[in-house]
Amino acid sequence: LVVSSSGDFGLETIYQGFSDVTCFDINLLSRHMLYVKIAAVQALTYQEFCRLFQTTLTKEWLYKISPYLPDSTFLFFDTLFQANSSSKLLNLFTHKYSKCAEYFFQKCQQNFSVYNEKEFYQLKECLRADMFHFLPLDIFQKEKVSTCLNEYDFIYLSNILFFASISIEDFLKN
């Protein structure tokens, strides 16, 4: 069980040898971002993958990776493009607080295997979309989290404390 966020943690757990990953997030858009990342690894070369995640998702990118996308994810982004006059969306892939997309990408290379060429191709060889599940989950809802605790061999919460608006003491109690 790993936080979904932009999909990087899920991809990393597959690279590290896990074969069945449940990604969770309170933000339902994270599910679509996860499947865009999976499809991008499956459909693109490393150089194309890097270009995509240093720029923006365009209609052209969407259609290029579409054979690997779940129908619901393709429909979600295709509808966004149809509803907007622009042929591209805001940059969905770089952190909004990052001053520079290149700097952010370098940080990703330091922390996630998928952003390094050799590891990208190793991941590409073993990656299948059916290795992933998405769970809409707010980790501060005790009753939902307690049912998950015994279902997973590994639980990774990433930097949730950084974004949580409660004290560490309250987080530990929850």
Side-chain angles (χ1 to χ4, degrees), residues 133-144:
H133 312 280
F134 183 82
L135 179 64
L137 178 67
D138 177 351
I139 65 161
F140 298 108
Q141 292 180 332
K142 294 178 195 178
E143 63 284 349
K144 288 186 180 181

Side-chain angles (χ1 to χ4, degrees), residues 79-91:
T79 302
L80 278 178
F81 283 122
Q82 289 178 27
N84 295 288
S85 59
S86 175
S87 64
K88 61 185 176 180
L89 299 175
L90 293 175
N91 191 334

Side-chain angles (χ1 to χ4, degrees), residues 44 57-66 81 87-88:
L44 305 176
L57 183 63
T58 63
K59 285 182 186 179
E60 291 76 23
W61 283 118
L62 179 67
Y63 292 126
K64 187 165 187 157
I65 66 173
S66 66
F81 283 122
S87 64
K88 61 185 176 180

Side-chain angles (χ1 to χ4, degrees), residues 68-110:
Y68 298 94
L69 287 173
D71 291 342
S72 62
T73 297
F74 175 78
L75 182 61
F76 175 81
F77 285 110
D78 193 47
T79 302
L80 278 178
F81 283 122
Q82 289 178 27
N84 295 288
S85 59
S86 175
S87 64
K88 61 185 176 180
L89 299 175
L90 293 175
N91 191 334
L92 299 171
F93 307 116
T94 58
H95 197 282
K96 69 178 182 180
Y97 300 113
S98 176
K99 293 179 181 160
C100 171
E102 179 63 29
Y103 173 77
F104 183 76
F105 191 79
Q106 289 171 0
K107 288 306 222 180
C108 290
Q109 285 181 308
Q110 291 172 1

Side-chain angles (χ1 to χ4, degrees), residues 40-45 119-127:
V41 172
Q42 292 174 311
L44 305 176
T45 66
E119 291 90 344
F120 172 88
Y121 286 110
Q122 290 171 340
L123 180 62
K124 186 180 187 84
E125 286 181 27
C126 69
L127 187 63

